[in-house]
Amino acid sequence: MSRTTSKIILSSWREKTQRQYSIYLKRYERFCKTKNADPFDRNEKTLIAFLTDMYKKKYGYSAINTARAAVSSVNDVGSHPPVCRFMRGVFNLRPSCPRYTYIWDVSLVLKYLRTLAPSTGLKLQSLSAKLATLCALVTGHRCQTFHAMDIKHRQISEGKAKFHIAPLLKTNSPKNPISTITLRAYREDRRVCVFTCLKLYLKRTKHLRSTTQLFISNYSPHSAVTKDALARWIKSMLNKAGTDTNVYKAHSTRAAASSAAARSIDIAQVIKTAGWSREQTFAKFYNKPVQTESASAQFANSVLNSKSVSL
């Protein structure tokens, strides 16, 4: 293949995926050298031996499955039946559990955000964190999206602000190439209105900016913030609202918001707004029940609280 062809093929993986895959591809190459095997050879026995070696070194199912996908990207052997059966065995012996099975109650976080009113009296740090959190709740998107929002690509009209996201996002694909985030006014309660908060934030930062990125640092020289900084802002709001941030991180807003929306609107609308391509992804990883008193606790309490019945 020519250099141009190779470059185009490599570009089919996003930068983060390339970094993740390169780690396991280098390990696989070293492993193949010890076995005098060709890493490009479509030999499922070599791949299974490599994955078995990872299993013996105490790697979890997720890491082993990523290694399988990385190797399969160069020799297309990862989908062979013996490899699939091996991965099923790894899962049964060392299951990969989700970070959480329940999600926090959105209403509790909104209750706290209402206490940060009027927004005109907030310090820039609190206003920035409130806006970032509201953006996460009303859109269901990742910090990557908010990090990419640029005031050069905004359209503000009566009651809404629309941002065209120029950089590629994780949810972008040939079927879904364009990303647009719309922040609408919520006139029922301006204390949690993202549009009102946005207008105030733009006014407050107008003469501080050294960048066109929407979210800027709270301190001079007020440069563009990182995705990690946005995540810290959101996490601080969750923590102050009483959410257990030892368990729930900033990304949990995506599950919390979409799960709350799914209880009152059509699933198709939730998937389209939050940017999922398949309903199965939402159902498997993000649609979570709100964390309440466990069923076993409710059962026990109902028994212990029962009154005597006279016959």
Side-chain angles (χ1 to χ4, degrees):
M1 294 183 182
S2 67
R3 286 181 178 271
T4 302
T5 302
S6 300
K7 184 178 180 181
I8 293 173
I9 291 176
L10 287 172
S11 296
S12 65
W13 294 284
R14 301 287 172 85
E15 183 180 349
K16 187 175 180 180
T17 303
Q18 289 185 34
R19 291 199 303 268
Q20 193 175 26
Y21 278 13
S22 65
I23 296 171
Y24 296 106
L25 288 173
K26 290 175 181 176
R27 290 179 183 175
Y28 185 65
E29 185 179 12
R30 290 196 296 268
F31 180 84
C32 287
K33 284 183 178 179
T34 63
K35 302 295 183 181
N36 294 320
D38 182 359
F40 293 97
D41 186 23
R42 296 184 178 183
N43 189 334
E44 66 265 20
K45 292 182 180 180
T46 305
L47 175 57
I48 290 175
F50 171 65
L51 300 179
T52 301
D53 183 65
M54 289 186 65
Y55 181 85
K56 290 179 178 178
K57 293 177 179 176
K58 306 301 182 182
Y59 282 92
Y61 172 83
S62 180
I64 295 174
N65 194 42
T66 301
R68 177 200 62 80
V71 174
S72 185
S73 69
V74 296
N75 62 19
D76 198 30
V77 75
S79 59
H80 286 197
V83 179
C84 295
R85 182 57 58 184
F86 174 86
M87 291 306 305
R88 178 61 64 87
V90 171
F91 181 82
N92 289 340
L93 293 171
R94 199 171 289 168
S96 178
C97 299
R99 183 187 293 271
Y100 39 78
T101 54
Y102 292 90
I103 197 63
W104 42 268
D105 191 347
V106 169
S107 65
L108 298 179
V109 176
L110 291 174
K111 182 179 179 180
Y112 172 72
L113 293 178
R114 288 187 178 98
T115 67
L116 302 178
S119 296
T120 51
L122 296 176
K123 293 182 178 179
L124 180 58
Q125 185 174 1
S126 297
L127 179 63
S128 302
K130 181 178 181 179
L131 177 59
T133 306
L134 284 173
C135 284
L137 291 176
V138 302
T139 67
H141 275 258
R142 300 175 173 84
C143 287
Q144 179 196 24
T145 304
F146 316 131
H147 178 260
M149 293 169 72
D150 195 303
I151 60 176
K152 289 189 303 184
H153 306 300
R154 65 177 175 179
Q155 294 178 337
I156 296 182
S157 56
E158 182 62 30
K160 67 179 180 181
K162 185 178 291 187
F163 287 83
H164 172 71
I165 309 299
L168 280 176
L169 302 176
K170 185 176 181 180
T171 54
N172 288 141
S173 67
K175 294 182 180 179
N176 182 30
I178 300 175
S179 294
T180 302
I181 296 297
T182 302
L183 305 178
R184 303 180 185 277
Y186 182 64
R187 294 184 174 86
E188 287 84 348
D189 189 347
R190 294 190 180 278
R191 293 175 297 173
V192 288
C193 174
V194 67
F195 182 67
T196 300
C197 195
L198 171 67
K199 288 196 300 181
L200 179 59
Y201 182 77
L202 290 173
K203 182 179 179 181
R204 183 85 67 86
T205 59
K206 183 177 181 179
H207 300 294
L208 301 176
R209 295 183 166 277
S210 58
T211 176
T212 58
Q213 182 178 313
L214 174 61
F215 287 102
I216 62 172
S217 170
N218 297 313
Y219 305 100
S220 182
H222 301 289
S223 54
V225 297
T226 64
K227 287 179 285 188
D228 290 338
L230 286 172
R232 287 195 298 271
W233 292 356
I234 295 172
K235 186 178 176 182
S236 72
M237 288 287 105
L238 299 185
N239 183 55
K240 291 173 182 177
T243 303
D244 186 357
T245 50
N246 291 319
V247 177
Y248 299 108
K249 309 304 178 184
H251 186 66
S252 66
T253 55
R254 186 161 163 81
S258 55
S259 297
R263 290 192 286 272
S264 57
I265 66 173
D266 186 69
I267 291 292
Q269 289 181 265
V270 176
I271 294 170
K272 182 179 179 180
T273 302
W276 287 293
S277 58
R278 297 186 302 168
E279 183 177 336
Q280 294 91 327
T281 303
F282 167 67
K284 183 176 181 181
F285 298 105
Y286 292 96
N287 194 10
K288 307 289 184 182
V290 174
Q291 188 173 28
T292 57
E293 189 177 24
S294 67
S296 59
Q298 291 178 12
F299 181 91
N301 289 338
S302 66
V303 172
L304 296 173
N305 293 331
S306 60
K307 308 294 183 181
S308 60
V309 179
S310 59
L311 300 176

